[in-house]
Amino acid sequence: MNRIGIYPGTFDPLTNGHLNIIVRSLKIVDKLIIAVADNSNKKPLLSTNERINIIKNDISSHNFNENMIEIHSVKGLLTDFAKSFNACFIIRGLRAVSDFEYEFQMTGMNFKLNPDIETIFLMSADNNSFISSNLVKEVHKLGGDVSKFVSKNTINILNNKNS
């Protein structure tokens, strides 16, 4: 049986915390589909294509089997997207208790929309529990060093956006 998991997010930008969840997800699924949300309500700094390219670049530095990961943009209901790939899992990372309430609501809604898809929560690694894309963008914009939180490639892209 192919265990296909969806790891959805805005990834604006991809952080080391996101990469950690990707690495750990590959221990429990046969294929991981990284679903880059095309959500204009969030007003992302980076375009969907820029975010997909960052993810491709950053995961290429790992020795993943290229058949284990796919990256796609997603617009619309996540459960419909997951069903179109025959996914049985949605994987979500949790950093703190504050993440849980929102994720709990989303899990309940997704279950009502498609009870065949289970949500799996992975706690962030201790060293990543405070990292968020929003904080990375804010610290970078204010001239702070974000090299411990994102790749050099991401920093270069953020430099071009903020110049």
Side-chain angles (χ1 to χ4, degrees):
M1 180 174 152
N2 245 356
R3 295 169 304 174
I4 300 171
I6 306 287
Y7 179 35
T10 308
F11 307 109
D12 186 42
L14 183 77
T15 67
N16 293 342
H18 293 128
L19 280 172
N20 178 262
I21 297 295
I22 291 168
V23 169
R24 292 169 49 216
S25 295
L26 292 171
K27 294 177 183 177
I28 55 177
V29 298
D30 300 312
K31 179 174 282 230
L32 181 66
I33 297 170
I34 301 170
V36 180
D38 184 8
N39 184 347
S40 59
N41 292 335
K42 286 198 170 187
K43 298 183 174 124
L45 173 67
L46 304 169
S47 72
T48 303
N49 285 337
E50 286 172 317
R51 290 179 276 144
I52 288 172
N53 288 333
I54 286 172
I55 296 168
K56 285 179 181 176
N57 182 289
D58 287 6
I59 66 173
S60 70
S61 65
H62 291 77
N63 292 327
F64 298 132
N65 176 336
E66 62 185 50
N67 296 323
M68 291 183 73
I69 297 178
E70 292 180 17
I71 306 164
H72 297 276
S73 66
V74 59
K75 203 171 204 170
L77 289 175
L78 181 60
T79 53
D80 291 344
F81 179 84
K83 186 176 180 181
S84 73
F85 284 95
N86 295 315
C88 48
F89 302 113
I90 294 172
I91 298 172
R92 299 295 295 160
L94 292 175
R95 293 170 298 187
V97 174
S98 56
D99 289 343
F100 182 77
E101 186 174 348
Y102 172 77
E103 295 296 342
F104 181 78
Q105 291 174 339
M106 288 300 301
T107 298
M109 181 59 74
N110 287 337
F111 184 79
K112 291 291 186 188
L113 294 170
N114 188 336
D116 295 330
I117 301 172
E118 293 291 338
T119 299
I120 297 174
F121 294 107
L122 295 177
M123 295 302 299
S124 67
D126 289 344
N127 59 329
N128 296 321
S129 62
F130 61 90
I131 301 172
S132 75
S133 295
N134 286 335
L135 281 176
V136 166
K137 289 184 292 191
E138 184 174 345
V139 168
H140 182 269
K141 187 175 182 178
L142 295 172
D145 179 9
V146 295
S147 62
K148 294 177 186 168
F149 315 124
V150 296
S151 68
K152 289 179 184 178
N153 176 57
T154 300
I155 292 171
N156 291 335
I157 291 169
L158 289 174
N159 286 342
N160 290 335
K161 285 287 182 181
N162 290 330
S163 60

